[in-house]
């Protein structure tokens, strides 16, 4: 039993899609649901908000069973992909909408609207109409409006997908800051793994309507419980395990490691800890990424991505990976 | 298991359709069933096919059916010939008054048929403007054009009423076609004529078929024009015969049997129209109209364009302007406000003019009630159709169903009910309001549905997650966004009610007085100037609709 945070078991069947997800997040956490398109991320949010009916299962928030509570009584606010600001209302009226529903006095409403606008860095925007706002400003107003309802849980459905890359980066920091200031339990859907890794306390990876893994960002990155999670989040190299059979252990399946775990050897050999060696890997391309080089190499026909501090001089390099950094997957599982 | 949350939400939108469904069932389906059932009851009151058999074995009825279909076919063909020439000029060349012609071609969509009749008589009649002008110019002693009360008059009035509709639809469609296809055809070596027949015409055909089936439908169920201009049983159509059988011969069985035939034909035409519409919307990507720099080439082109402009203006505007002019001027009296004074009871009135003011207030009150009710019901129904997953097609069909039944037949049902109820005048007016409501509802639905469709579902979802009940969200978020659509739908419904003649005449007793009814009586007693004064008021209403719907088209949100 969870007394705090959100715990849900979601079962819903549609014509061509079945959702069967179970996960929990702790009170005050910022959790990201991530997965390829069509995996059921948005459906999950709509089920939790009460916008879609559950076939079976339960939703518990801060110890209260919300399963049969109608959407407008759940106190779960949601920010939609296209913002969904009411176009016939000013910024202030949009934010005051949930305040009016709670019968706040006009003076209190005005103050609360001003406070919320300050929180989202839009002081003085009260009188603007939604068509006078840029995409980023609309996003902030939508966030302020959602916060105005004093939600127990905040749902964000790909809130940054319609914005350009630079603004996206800035706004996700803003969302993190606002989350830290308000402390509201937040569930955030995105398909951008970089976005998820950078702001989430917890990452929930979904695929085909089920939760593959749920855990801290580092945990999901460094200890993925499946090949799918390993390859979906972050870069990685996958090679058949039988290539590395050295008598003592015969393994089938695949071996997986992150690019940063491969070390480029300047002089051969330099590694003393148990390791795999990929000697004379051909360098196919070399991207300068600012602080480092990202190399696309090919070793015995298999592509391997790795990083290097210097641009390699020759056409081939020698790589080593420590055995403790290797992950083995069989049929996609650990 | 459906959660309570789900039930409550979908329940609200389901309930929104309820008022409209009650009205459609009680005031459209029930009267229709009462009407049609009398086709299966003989004079003795027992179940039989006697009325149907006697009607459909009657050579007189055969002649009427033939005439109805033939006049509709000829009228459609005539409209098509006039319209396609215009559509060709409009979509190929740029010339002065082009936009004016396009705008004017929308006039017949909003003008009531009784006004067409009046304008036609005033303009083309023996003492009409055209004959007077011709007699003055050529110093003739006799009117040269004598077409009133004849086959020709019916065809001419139908053409005047309907060719702009085809022209408008086809020209608008043609202007949005991809002109590069013609260019490709030329570069492949095809001649201009070859290109037109093999590339342009096939792509225009769905639009032409769609517009023609609509016009055929209008001509088939035309009533006021035939009733007045046909001048008696020689040129009678199905609709007029239904009215005659029910109201003059007292033979409701025959009227009901004819109604069955009429509904079958109109339903077929509407299915054809819907099919072609669907093909239209699928056929080609809608393009922004190309800027046409092409000027009419050579003398022939220029003469054609000028001639066409004059004819269009003559056809569409002249009868309407004649009505306004004749309401204040005649050659015998000169300028006079006599008819408006009589209308307002400032002067002792002759013949039917005495009831004109009552008719005006009645019509205004009825139209006000109809527009309010129609918008409330139509908006609720539109929202309910759009926000449901299941059976939306069936619900939409139900909302549009009264379009498949001519207004004469709707009126007939109400006549049968009122003759059984033997009620007082206020009941009669209630029935008029309900009949108009049933007729106006599909038009309101057609305005509201696409407008409602534009509102993203996320607006309502946002409101719900912010703590708003489905009902409150609908009224505080969705309805304000529909304001302009509701206004234009209300104006539309108001105008339909103000000009409604067919159902009103069919259901009415002598106690029911509306503007078009008094106009009809004035025309019948040859008081054309009085009719013109009333007609001018109808023109003013139509003008408001024309302007309002024109501007409403450009407004959108989200």
């Amino acid at each position: 039993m969870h007394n705090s945070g959100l715990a849900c078991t979601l079962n819903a069947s549609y014509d061509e899609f079945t959702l069967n997800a179970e996960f929990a997040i702790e009170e005050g956490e910022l959790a990201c649901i991530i997965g390829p398109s069509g995996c059921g991320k948005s459906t999950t949010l709509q089920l939790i908000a009460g916008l879609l009916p559950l076939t079976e299962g339960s939703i518990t928030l801060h110890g209260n069973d919300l399963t049969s509570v109608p959407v407008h009584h759940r106190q779960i606010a949601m920010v939609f992909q296209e913002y969904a600001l009411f176009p016939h209302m000013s910024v202030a009226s949009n934010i005051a909408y949930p305040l009016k529903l709670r019968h706040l006095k006009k003076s209190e409403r005005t103050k609360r609207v001003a406070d919320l606008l300050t929180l989202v860095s839009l002081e003085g925007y009260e009188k603007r109409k939604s068509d006078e706002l840029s995409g980023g400003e609309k996003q902030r107003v939508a966030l302020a409006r959602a916060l105005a309802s004093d939600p127990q849980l905040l749902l964000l459905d790909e809130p940054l997908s319609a914005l350009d890359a630079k603004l996206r980066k800035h706004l996700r920091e803003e969302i993190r800051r606002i989350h830290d200031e308000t402390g509201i339990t937040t569930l955030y859907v995105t398909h951008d793994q970089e976005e998820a890794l950078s702001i989430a306390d917890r990452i929930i990876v979904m695929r085909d309507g089920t939760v593959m893994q749920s855990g801290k960002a580092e945990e999901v990155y460094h200890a993925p419980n499946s090949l799918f999670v390993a390859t979906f989040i972050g870069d990685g190299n996958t090679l058949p395990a039988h290539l590395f059979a050295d008598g003592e252990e015969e393994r089938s399946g695949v071996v997986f490691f992150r690019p940063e775990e491969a070390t480029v050897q300047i002089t051969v050999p330099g590694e003393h800890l148990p390791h795999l060696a990929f000697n004379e890997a051909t360098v196919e391309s070399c991207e300068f990424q600012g602080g480092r080089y990202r190399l696309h190499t090919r070793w015995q026909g298999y592509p391997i991505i790795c990083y290097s501090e210097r641009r390699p001089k020759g056409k081939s390099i020698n790589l080593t990976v420590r055995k403790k950094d290797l992950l083995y997957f069989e049929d996609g599982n650990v | 298991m459906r959660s309570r949350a789900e039930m409550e939400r979908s329940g609200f939108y389901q309930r929104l359709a309820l008022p409209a469904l009650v009205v459609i069932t009680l005031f459209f389906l029930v009267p229709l069933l009462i009407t049609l059932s009398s086709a299966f009851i003989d004079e003795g009151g027992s179940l039989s096919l006697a009325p149907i058999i006697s009607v459909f074995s009657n050579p007189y009825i055969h002649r009427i059916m033939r005439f109805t279909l033939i006049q509709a076919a000829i009228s459609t063909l005539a409209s098509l010939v006039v319209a396609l020439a215009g559509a060709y000029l409009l979509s190929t060349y740029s010339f002065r008054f082009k936009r004016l012609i396009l705008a004017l071609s929308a006039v017949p969509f909003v003008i009531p048929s009784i006004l067409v009749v009046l304008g036609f008589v005033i303009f083309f009649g023996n003492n009409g403007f055209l004959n007077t002008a011709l007699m003055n110019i050529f110093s003739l002693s006799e009117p040269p054009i004598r077409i009133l009360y004849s086959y020709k008059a019916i065809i001419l009035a139908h053409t005047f009423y309907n060719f702009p509709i085809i022209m408008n639809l086809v020209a608008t469609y043609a202007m949005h076609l991809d002109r590069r296809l013609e260019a490709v055809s030329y570069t492949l070596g095809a001649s201009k004529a070859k290109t037109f027949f093999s590339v342009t015409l096939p792509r225009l055909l769905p639009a032409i078929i769609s517009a023609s089936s609509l016009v055929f439908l209008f001509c088939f169920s035309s009533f006021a024009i035939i009733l007045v201009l046909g001048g008696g049983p020689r040129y009678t159509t199905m609709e007029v015969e239904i009215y005659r059988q029910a109201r003059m011969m007292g033979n409701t069985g025959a009227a009901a049997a004819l109604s069955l035939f009429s509904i079958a034909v109109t339903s077929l035409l509407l299915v054809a129209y819907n099919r072609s519409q669907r093909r239209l919307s699928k056929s080609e990507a809608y393009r922004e109209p190309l800027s046409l720099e092409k000027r009419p080439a050579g003398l022939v082109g220029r003469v054609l364009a000028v001639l066409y402009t004059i004819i269009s203006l003559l056809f569409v505007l002249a009868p309407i302007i004649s009505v306004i002019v004749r309401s204040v001027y005649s050659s015998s009296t000169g300028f006079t406000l006599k008819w408006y004074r009589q209308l307002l009871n400032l002067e002792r009135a002759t013949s039917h003019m005495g009831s004109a003011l009552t008719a005006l207030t009645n019509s205004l009150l009825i139209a006000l009630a109809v527009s309010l009710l129609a918008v409330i019901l139509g908006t609720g129904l539109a929202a309910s159709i759009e926000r449901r997953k299941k059976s939306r097609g069936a619900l939409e069909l139900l909302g549009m169903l009264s379009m498949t039944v001519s207004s004469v037949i709707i009126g007939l049902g109400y006549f049968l009910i009122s003759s059984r109820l033997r009620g007082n005048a206020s009941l009669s007016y209630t029935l008029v309001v309900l009949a108009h409501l049933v007729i106006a509802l599909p038009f309101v639905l057609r305005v509201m549905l696409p407008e409602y469709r534009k509102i993203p579902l996320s607006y309502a979802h946002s409101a719900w997650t912010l703590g708003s009940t489905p009902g409150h969200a609908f009224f505080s978020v969705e309805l304000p966004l529909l304001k302009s659509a509701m206004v234009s739908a209300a104006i539309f419904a108001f105008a339909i009610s103000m000009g409604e003649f067919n159902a009103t005449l069919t259901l009415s007793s002598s106690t029911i007085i509306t503007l078009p009814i008094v106009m009809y009586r004035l025309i019948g007693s040859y008081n054309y100037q009085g009719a013109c004064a009333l007609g001018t008021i109808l023109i003013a209403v139509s003008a408001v609709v024309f302007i309002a719907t024109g501007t409403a088209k450009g407004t959108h949100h989200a």
Side-chain angles (χ1 to χ4, degrees):
Chain A
M1 273 301 287
H2 293 261
N3 284 323
S4 61
L6 170 77
C8 40
T9 311
L10 308 170
N11 292 295
S13 316
Y14 305 96
D15 290 343
E16 289 161 7
F17 179 70
T18 308
L19 189 115
N20 228 320
E22 190 171 352
F23 62 89
I25 58 181
E26 279 167 33
E27 186 165 0
E29 260 188 339
L30 196 165
C32 270
I33 299 184
I34 186 167
S37 58
C39 71
K41 308 184 291 271
S42 290
T43 309
T44 301
L45 278 203
Q46 298 195 21
L47 287 168
I48 294 170
L51 295 170
L52 287 175
L54 274 180
T55 314
E56 244 175 273
S58 68
I59 299 160
T60 314
L61 181 62
H62 303 336
N64 301 316
D65 182 9
L66 296 183
T67 315
S68 59
V69 174
V71 46
H72 55 279
H73 286 147
R74 285 197 184 185
Q75 290 182 279
I76 296 176
M78 182 158 169
V79 173
F80 291 80
Q81 247 179 74
E82 323 78 14
Y83 325 122
L85 294 183
F86 305 140
H88 58 299
M89 295 181 190
S90 65
V91 165
S93 311
N94 263 288
I95 299 173
Y97 186 85
L99 303 174
K100 271 190 183 168
L101 287 168
R102 300 210 322 265
H103 306 292
L104 252 69
K105 276 198 219 117
K106 187 150 193 256
S107 56
E108 283 175 60
R109 283 206 307 261
T110 317
K111 187 171 177 309
R112 187 96 172 86
V113 168
D115 289 349
L116 283 162
L117 280 174
T118 310
L119 181 68
V120 298
S121 319
L122 286 179
E123 294 96 332
Y125 269 60
E126 279 92 343
K127 295 220 169 74
R128 304 256 187 124
K129 282 275 191 179
S130 67
D131 55 6
E132 297 164 4
L133 302 177
S134 69
E137 288 167 344
K138 284 183 189 167
Q139 188 55 68
R140 287 157 192 261
V141 174
L143 191 58
R145 183 179 67 178
L147 293 171
S149 65
D150 274 339
Q152 298 290 309
L153 175 69
L154 179 62
L155 306 174
L156 301 161
D157 188 5
E158 305 213 17
L160 307 178
S161 62
L163 305 174
D164 64 65
K166 203 170 176 187
L167 195 57
R168 224 164 32 221
K169 230 169 187 166
H170 175 62
L171 264 177
R172 80 182 183 212
E173 286 160 16
E174 283 279 293
I175 289 174
R176 182 72 224 191
R177 174 184 65 78
I178 291 164
H179 170 264
D180 291 346
E181 278 179 40
T182 57
I184 295 173
T185 314
T186 304
L187 189 54
Y188 186 119
V189 158
T190 179
H191 61 264
D192 182 344
Q193 39 111 357
E194 189 202 333
E195 198 171 293
L197 287 173
S198 59
I199 72 165
D201 298 317
R202 172 181 296 278
I203 288 181
I204 298 160
V205 185
M206 284 188 72
R207 181 199 195 179
D208 297 336
T210 57
V211 172
M212 300 296 289
Q213 189 170 4
S214 166
K216 302 275 174 211
E218 294 83 353
E219 200 181 315
V220 172
Y221 185 81
H222 290 300
N225 63 1
S226 62
L227 187 60
F228 171 79
V229 174
T231 51
F232 188 75
I233 296 203
D235 277 334
N237 298 303
T238 312
L239 295 116
H242 65 81
L243 293 175
F244 312 105
D246 47 0
E248 57 197 80
E249 41 184 342
E250 180 74 29
R251 296 194 89 140
S252 56
V254 296
V255 58
F256 176 91
F257 59 92
R258 301 276 178 203
E260 62 270 22
E261 281 152 0
T263 315
V264 181
Q265 300 297 325
I266 315 292
T267 53
V268 198
E271 184 66 64
H272 301 293
L273 291 166
H275 66 274
L276 297 183
F278 304 94
N279 289 328
E280 294 184 15
T282 320
V283 179
E284 292 189 327
S285 69
C286 172
E287 297 166 14
F288 182 52
Q289 290 191 324
R292 63 183 180 184
Y293 294 87
R294 182 183 153 101
L295 307 180
H296 288 261
T297 69
R298 193 166 288 275
W299 177 80
Q300 294 190 3
Y302 297 99
I304 296 176
I305 299 168
C306 63
Y307 299 122
S308 165
E309 281 173 31
R310 275 166 236 157
R311 188 181 281 277
K313 291 204 178 80
K315 287 200 167 164
S316 63
I317 52 171
N318 299 322
L319 295 169
T320 55
V321 181
R322 290 179 184 176
K323 282 200 172 170
K324 71 171 180 62
D325 292 335
L326 293 175
L327 291 166
Y328 289 93
F329 294 106
E330 217 160 321
D331 296 330
N333 297 311
V334 174
Chain B
M1 178 193 85
R2 257 156 64 104
S3 67
R4 194 163 64 85
E6 165 72 0
M7 298 285 281
E8 183 167 333
R9 172 156 39 86
S10 59
F12 171 75
Y13 282 103
Q14 254 154 33
R15 281 195 300 277
L16 272 184
L18 222 58
L21 291 183
V22 168
V23 166
I24 290 168
T25 309
L26 287 185
F27 305 119
F28 169 65
L29 292 178
V30 168
L32 185 65
L33 284 179
I34 291 176
T35 306
L36 296 183
S37 66
S38 43
F40 301 96
I41 293 165
D42 65 14
E43 282 163 24
S46 53
L47 205 65
S48 96
L49 285 175
I52 294 177
I53 291 164
S54 80
V55 161
F56 289 104
S57 58
N58 185 344
Y60 169 72
I61 300 291
H62 289 170
R63 219 191 66 207
I64 289 173
M65 285 177 178
R66 219 175 310 132
F67 178 73
T68 309
L69 291 171
I70 288 172
Q71 66 81 23
I74 294 174
S75 300
T76 309
L77 265 178
S79 307
L80 207 54
V81 169
V82 182
L84 288 187
Y88 179 76
L89 282 176
L90 284 173
S91 58
T92 315
Y93 300 116
S94 78
F95 51 96
R96 220 186 289 182
F97 304 124
K98 179 176 156 169
R99 296 182 80 186
L100 181 71
I101 294 179
L102 251 185
L104 285 179
S105 64
V107 164
F109 283 116
V110 297
I111 196 169
S113 58
I114 190 73
L115 206 53
V116 176
V117 172
L118 182 63
F120 198 82
V121 171
I122 299 297
F123 189 73
F124 291 103
N126 290 354
N127 297 315
F129 279 87
L130 192 61
N131 272 322
T132 315
L134 290 175
M135 279 160 74
N136 283 339
I137 293 166
F138 300 106
S139 11
L140 305 169
S141 54
E142 288 284 309
I145 300 170
R146 290 171 175 280
I147 53 167
L148 237 47
Y149 314 118
S150 70
Y151 204 135
K152 276 183 236 154
I154 294 172
I155 304 292
L156 199 62
H158 278 168
T159 309
F160 152 58
Y161 197 28
N162 291 318
F163 94 87
I165 293 175
I166 303 183
M167 189 172 81
N168 187 302
L169 294 175
V170 175
T172 319
Y173 184 72
M175 278 191 259
H176 290 92
L177 284 180
D178 189 349
R179 285 296 160 82
R180 287 174 305 182
L181 297 192
E182 274 85 359
V184 167
S185 171
Y186 296 144
T187 61
L188 293 174
S191 67
K192 267 194 134 179
K194 175 79 187 156
T195 301
F196 178 78
F197 284 107
S198 62
V199 177
T200 312
L201 197 60
R203 287 188 297 152
L204 280 179
L205 216 53
I208 294 171
I209 291 170
S210 160
S212 304
S213 57
L214 195 64
V215 165
F216 190 92
L217 175 69
F218 288 162
C219 296
F220 177 83
S221 49
S222 161
F223 179 71
I225 287 169
I226 312 274
L227 188 67
V228 179
L229 297 182
R234 236 190 104 196
Y235 298 119
T236 292
T237 58
M238 295 288 298
E239 297 305 305
V240 177
E241 190 58 23
I242 292 170
Y243 168 72
R244 269 169 37 84
Q245 290 287 348
R247 298 304 311 267
M248 292 169 183
M249 328 283 267
N251 189 349
T252 46
L258 290 171
S259 301
L260 278 175
F261 178 74
S262 164
I263 290 171
V265 174
T266 45
S267 302
L268 274 178
L269 287 170
L270 273 173
V271 168
Y273 174 69
N274 269 339
R275 281 250 177 108
S276 54
Q277 277 287 305
R278 215 167 302 152
R279 204 170 315 147
L280 266 189
S281 59
K282 271 187 207 154
S283 56
E284 252 182 81
Y286 204 65
R287 293 191 160 266
E288 282 303 306
L290 287 177
S291 63
L292 299 164
E293 294 306 327
K294 221 165 152 189
R295 299 225 153 241
L299 191 64
V300 181
R302 215 165 303 154
V303 169
L304 267 178
V306 170
L307 215 63
Y308 204 81
T309 312
I310 294 172
I311 291 174
S312 303
L313 288 175
L314 201 72
F315 252 131
V316 177
L317 273 194
I320 295 170
I321 293 170
S322 308
V323 169
I324 301 172
V325 171
R326 186 50 61 86
S327 73
V328 291
Y329 175 85
S330 80
S331 52
S332 54
T333 59
F335 178 82
T336 173
L337 285 177
K338 181 181 167 192
W339 303 105
Y340 288 96
R341 283 209 300 275
Q342 287 199 4
L343 199 166
L344 297 171
N345 275 352
L346 300 174
E347 190 177 296
R348 231 178 71 80
T350 50
S351 82
H352 296 286
M353 275 311 272
S355 50
L357 187 63
T358 322
L360 178 59
T361 42
N362 283 348
S363 278
L364 288 173
L365 287 175
I366 292 168
L368 198 65
V370 169
S371 61
L372 276 176
L373 287 171
V375 167
I376 293 169
L377 299 181
T379 307
L381 187 57
S384 194
I385 289 170
E386 270 307 303
R387 287 286 183 261
R388 71 172 58 219
K389 291 193 188 84
K390 284 173 192 162
S391 64
R392 46 192 289 175
L395 202 60
E396 189 175 343
L397 181 70
L398 198 60
M400 296 291 185
L401 203 58
S402 65
M403 284 186 103
T404 61
V405 178
S406 77
S407 38
V408 171
I409 298 172
I410 292 175
L412 179 57
Y414 279 83
F415 165 69
L416 295 178
I417 291 174
S418 70
S419 61
R420 281 176 207 189
L421 289 177
R422 261 192 245 146
N424 52 11
S426 66
L427 176 79
S428 309
Y429 282 112
T430 310
L431 291 180
V432 173
V433 169
L434 290 171
H436 288 189
L437 178 60
V438 164
I439 291 166
L441 201 53
F443 293 93
V444 170
L445 197 57
R446 281 178 84 155
V447 174
M448 297 312 298
L449 262 180
E451 287 300 313
Y452 196 86
R453 208 163 289 161
K454 285 185 199 161
I455 301 178
L457 191 58
S458 59
Y459 288 176
H461 281 179
S462 284
W464 301 346
T465 58
L466 294 170
S468 179
T469 61
H472 182 263
F474 176 72
F475 286 107
S476 65
V477 175
E478 295 191 322
L479 266 197
L481 295 173
L482 292 170
K483 217 187 290 169
S484 69
M486 285 169 78
V487 168
S488 51
I491 294 172
F492 211 5
F494 189 89
I496 288 171
S497 171
M498 279 292 281
E500 213 295 320
F501 172 70
N502 307 0
T504 317
L505 185 73
T506 310
L507 76 86
S508 71
S509 55
S510 56
T511 53
I512 290 180
I513 299 161
T514 65
L515 207 60
I517 297 289
V518 173
M519 274 175 74
Y520 172 65
R521 288 182 189 158
L522 286 168
I523 295 169
S525 58
Y526 304 106
N527 184 349
Y528 293 129
Q529 281 200 282
C532 285
L534 292 178
T536 305
I537 294 171
L538 269 190
I539 291 171
V541 174
S542 308
V544 170
V545 181
F546 185 65
I547 294 160
T549 48
T551 49
K553 263 181 207 160
T555 61
H556 55 89
H557 43 74

